[in-house]
């Protein structure tokens, strides 16, 4: 089976469309399918393990805030799901599936939402244990991470919007 999206435009009288599609750089696409998404899948699947095993927090914190073990377990499930979604997204992108660009954007948005929700929940529950400096550092770290994820959502949306015609299977 040939997955070359340019073959869909062979024989068309609209050579401008074919030439325009050939001229679009696809480096980010290749990086996503060969590096970023496979690595994301592995990191998320392995990263979920401490949340399932109850080792993502210290014993002292878990003793003081037992509800964190439930939140960690739930976050572990969501993180495992993100790893599975990364695999599914990679397969869809490689096959030029029509929904693949939406899956990429959705994957980054999903990561943004679950990360923010988890961190906000942990901070809200454990806020009394942090010094003011620790709290500021945590909020700044979460903010930077959220901005990076939001930028990835926007950039991927723009990138794949320009290449929409390629994903038609």
């Amino acid at each position: 089976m040939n997955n070359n999206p340019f073959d869909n435009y062979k024989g068309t009288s609209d050579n401008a469309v074919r030439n325009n599609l050939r001229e679009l750089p696809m480096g980010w696409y290749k990086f996503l399918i060969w590096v970023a998404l496979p690595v994301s899948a592995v990191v998320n699947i392995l990263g979920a393990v401490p949340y399932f095993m109850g080792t993502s927090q210290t014993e002292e914190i878990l003793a003081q805030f037992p509800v964190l073990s439930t939140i960690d377990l739930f976050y572990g499930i969501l993180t495992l799901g993100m790893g599975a979604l990364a695999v599914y997204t990679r397969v869809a992108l490689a096959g030029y599936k029509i929904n693949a660009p939406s899956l990429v954007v959705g994957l980054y948005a999903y990561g943004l939402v679950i990360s923010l929700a988890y961190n906000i929940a942990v901070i809200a529950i454990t806020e009394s244990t942090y010094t003011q400096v620790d709290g500021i550092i945590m909020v700044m770290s979460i903010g930077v991470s959220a901005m990076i994820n939001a930028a990835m959502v926007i950039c991927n949306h723009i990138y794949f919007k320009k290449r929409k015609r390629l994903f038609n299977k």
Side-chain angles (χ1 to χ4, degrees), residues 40-51:
S40 174
V42 170
V43 166
N44 280 295
I45 290 168
L46 293 177
V49 172
Y51 295 98

Side-chain angles (χ1 to χ4, degrees), residues 19-122:
N19 290 336
N20 184 32
L21 289 173
R22 289 189 189 282
E23 291 173 9
L24 288 172
M26 296 295 285
W28 178 247
Y29 163 82
K30 290 177 182 177
F31 175 75
L32 282 174
I33 66 169
W34 293 112
V35 179
L37 291 171
V39 168
S40 174
V42 170
V43 166
N44 280 295
I45 290 168
L46 293 177
V49 172
Y51 295 98
F52 287 123
M53 296 180 65
T55 58
S56 66
Q57 309 285 344
T58 64
E59 287 184 25
E60 296 83 28
I61 294 289
L62 287 175
Q64 191 174 359
F65 305 102
V67 72
L68 283 181
S69 61
T70 303
I71 291 171
D72 283 354
L73 181 61
F74 188 64
Y75 183 70
I77 292 167
L78 294 174
T79 303
L80 188 62
M82 190 164 167
L85 182 59
V87 171
Y88 181 75
T89 301
R90 191 264 177 228
V91 171
L93 267 181
Y96 294 96
K97 301 295 182 192
I98 200 162
N99 67 335
S102 298
L103 288 170
V104 173
V105 172
L107 180 67
Y108 283 104
Y110 177 76
L112 172 65
V113 169
I114 68 168
S115 175
L116 278 176
Y118 175 76
N119 285 303
I120 289 169
V122 169

Side-chain angles (χ1 to χ4, degrees), residues 135-154:
I136 291 170
I137 290 171
M138 285 182 68
V139 169
M140 287 176 54
S141 173
I142 293 166
V144 168
S145 177
M147 286 188 284
I148 290 169
N149 268 331
M152 293 301 291
V153 167
I154 293 166

